[in-house]
Amino acid sequence: MPVFLTTNDADFEARFTDLLNAKREDSPDVDAIVAGIIHDVRTRGDAALVELTNKFDRMDLTAADLRITDAEIEAAVATVSDEERAALELAAERIRAYHAEQMPEDKQWTDAAGATLGWRWSAVSAAGLYVPGGLASYPSSVLMNAIPAKVAGVERLCITVPTPDGQINPLVLLAAKIAGVDEIYRVGGAQAVAALAYGTETIAPVDKITGPGNAFVAAAKRRVFGKVGIDMIAGPSEILVIADKDNNPDWIALDLLSQAEHDESAQSLLITDDADFGRAVAAAVDKRLETLERRAIAGPSWRDYGAVIVVKDLDEAAALSNRIAPEHLELCVADPVALSEQTIHAGAIFLGQYTPEAIGDYIGGPNHVLPTARSARFSSGLSVMDFIKRTTLSQMTPEALKAIGPGAAVLAKSESLEAHGLSVLARLEKLNR
Amino acid sequence: MPVFLTTNDADFEARFTDLLNAKREDSPDVDAIVAGIIHDVRTRGDAALVELTNKFDRMDLTAADLRITDAEIEAAVATVSDEERAALELAAERIRAYHAEQMPEDKQWTDAAGATLGWRWSAVSAAGLYVPGGLASYPSSVLMNAIPAKVAGVERLCITVPTPDGQINPLVLLAAKIAGVDEIYRVGGAQAVAALAYGTETIAPVDKITGPGNAFVAAAKRRVFGKVGIDMIAGPSEILVIADKDNNPDWIALDLLSQAEHDESAQSLLITDDADFGRAVAAAVDKRLETLERRAIAGPSWRDYGAVIVVKDLDEAAALSNRIAPEHLELCVADPVALSEQTIHAGAIFLGQYTPEAIGDYIGGPNHVLPTARSARFSSGLSVMDFIKRTTLSQMTPEALKAIGPGAAVLAKSESLEAHGLSVLARLEKLNR
């Protein structure tokens, strides 16, 4: 049984704060190891990459084997069932359509002073996506990372994916193919991140690295940040469901378990205005846990980090939700749209009882790479914006410079930056002659 | 005399690569010290903040003195000249107008499957701006950081600024007032960043921290990233001017010097298709350096990191510019708009000979906080986007769930995530009954 709180409890605030601050993830300090790996790949290139891959993934590669060939990709994807292929294609199409809507417009205007101002967006030239190997090698994540990059206009998109003992998920390769990925390399860990950031003889460097990974990958991404761009450092998954009593407790239980089954550190929270409904959901979770394939993961997650919180009304629910700033927020209430206008700190909102969060993981269209660990307070999920950048544009006419230049010269002087001021004044001198 | 290269030189590629890779900044490794400071402020709050401030800034404060009072602000800003006040107000007005154009729209639509999809933007609730003390305490930077936050709708905006020996720049306080900053604290260094991220008794924690600082501030921002959002870690300033011979060499020299005077590590580059013009600009720089107030800074910068590069045509100039990915790019050519369409990796572009870069530092409207060290390949300058975040929205009807739910269930099964699939299938079972 997880925590069961009501906002009426005398100790509610203390217990809720504990819940917010619970450290769910032990990040081992692997920074020194990662620094060594990055240095090794930077200085020795392919030789280091091959050695590290052979060691960690128990392989016997040469540099010539690092890239997965088109023939290997075709052979693997031929093993995928028609049903799975169709589902991946539908997902890809929907994700592409959603992300195409995100492309922002360039803008330019001339203001009253005669200054023409604006900006222009352009794509990152080359991006690298890290795809984990083994259990967490999700084809859906390949689509969610690769499609926004391609919609944004990234010319060269490559994937690194470790293939421990030579194993690779054919669905990952198919997802990469459908998404239009240009190059795939069988490397993982900090060494893959180093190769993407600094390049080796075989892997040309990229400008931006995205995608989830273990502690080594996360530490490597932090280290190469600045040399290249990175996406967020994602933590364990979370869901908050706000539900009133007019819901099927079993559906809500499954929604909670669909996060809990990801990871023992995942967090599933229910806020409801009906204590009996809360108890019914908890009972439904327990029942499902009896048979769930991943009960050994979902059980501890629910027991250790799950919670049912009973509130007096939905306003209170919205206020708590904003303090939690959940990655995923399901609103299973009579008027979910109205409630969504109050719940402003959330990565993704799923409205109404026919929108289980799992739809968003796979096929809804919005991205499933979302801010965790309360970072929805200040950050957004992955989008085309992660693969484009803005260049600001300014053009002064002589008249515009005469109108606003003197102000710039005053401010330059006040900051003791003489050349700044002179660069304006020298031009004004000619214009005023 | 700085480097003088022509693309015809046999060793051009090697020398250009050296120029690109020149390490201009020695970041001292202050990480261990910073980790200690952050831990101290996290655990002891105001007591640590006061101790550290008194030690590093040679002050004698108590916790009650940390916040600069309205009366102190009023007294300081009363000393600012009318001319400076008017210039700051004009700059603020223009920066506000430009950034207001950046606010993106919310979007929502219903697709063929009956799924209603979209997103909503919302502001970060609280932001903290770090303002350096002493020589680099620039009122223009206060405007450039604070105004986008307020345009974005940040409710609580606070500034930390160290006041070594009790000194503070009245223009910084006036800029903060004009920009609508809500709270100002006289603290700096890693301890200020820690206070903003974790909060103390006096300073409530914020969600996002922006603003430039020294190595300690940069290391502290890196450390608290994740707990709060941060902006980029800025390096030394850079300018690339692409100019043809129809320019005044002295104007271009002043533009180059306006970056060089910031910092001995700043970099000023000229690309021209006319070698004689290149030599004329180099001579004009030398002449200006004889008398420039900051010649002790600008001289070494130009000598050590400056360069004149002679190209055969403007296409070649654009290609080199994209490899440099400059923070500031001035296009002083006959058709700057056409050239700007080729120079896609740049933080800010200034078009034509009447748009000196200094206009953009102060008063043009676009932000002057821009990506340095080639990071314009993958990142953008500061904007309202840094103070807002996007929540994605999905709402399925029963019909939409029937249309796309089965695909989600197939993908969930392929990823061995049973509860994900069941959360969809349980609903479909009822709908198909």
Side-chain angles (χ1 to χ4, degrees), chain A residues 256-394:
Chain A
L256 294 170
L257 287 171
S258 73
Q259 292 311 300
E261 73 176 347
H262 268 297
D263 191 333
E264 288 185 33
S265 307
Q267 183 166 57
S268 303
L269 305 175
L270 170 65
I271 297 182
T272 179
D273 57 358
D274 186 296
D276 287 341
F277 178 77
R279 277 184 287 267
V281 171
V285 168
D286 288 344
K287 180 142 180 49
R288 286 285 185 180
L289 274 174
E290 288 170 14
T291 56
L292 196 73
E293 285 167 14
R294 294 203 181 213
R295 58 187 175 274
I297 295 169
S301 159
W302 175 243
R303 183 189 65 223
D304 296 341
Y305 302 115
V308 175
I309 301 172
V310 180
V311 291
K312 63 176 198 294
D313 58 32
L314 293 182
D315 286 344
E316 203 172 57
L320 294 180
S321 175
N322 282 334
R323 290 177 63 190
I324 295 166
E327 180 190 16
H328 303 101
L329 174 60
E330 261 186 45
L331 302 179
C332 298
V333 297
D335 189 349
V337 172
L339 186 56
S340 79
E341 284 160 11
Q342 291 181 266
T343 54
I344 56 170
H345 302 314
I349 299 182
F350 303 88
L351 299 118
Q353 59 175 326
Y354 292 105
T355 318
E357 184 278 327
I359 285 292
D361 282 336
Y362 292 113
I363 212 156
N367 212 287
H368 79 193
V369 180
L370 293 165
T372 58
R374 307 187 60 218
S375 63
R377 291 175 296 125
F378 55 80
S379 63
S380 310
L382 199 73
S383 76
V384 297
M385 308 297 286
D386 290 282
F387 299 100
I388 59 178
K389 66 271 186 320
R390 187 187 45 241
T391 298
T392 61
L393 304 169
S394 310

Side-chain angles (χ1 to χ4, degrees), chain A residues 98 118 120 140 207 227 255 258 261 293 340 345-346 349 353 377 381 390-392 415 418 420 427, chain B residues 98 118 120 140 207 227 255 258 261 293 340 346 349 353 377 381 389-392 415 418 420 427:
Chain A
Y98 182 89
R120 194 178 52 217
S140 58
D207 303 303
K227 168 69 183 168
D255 297 348
S258 73
E261 73 176 347
E293 285 167 14
S340 79
H345 302 314
I349 299 182
Q353 59 175 326
R377 291 175 296 125
R390 187 187 45 241
T391 298
T392 61
E415 294 185 355
E418 188 193 16
H420 283 67
R427 288 163 165 97
Chain B
Y98 182 88
R120 194 179 50 216
S140 58
D207 303 303
K227 167 70 182 168
D255 297 347
S258 73
E261 74 177 345
E293 285 167 13
S340 78
I349 300 183
Q353 60 176 326
R377 293 174 296 124
K389 66 270 183 331
R390 186 186 48 243
T391 298
T392 61
E415 295 185 355
E418 188 193 16
H420 283 67
R427 286 161 165 101

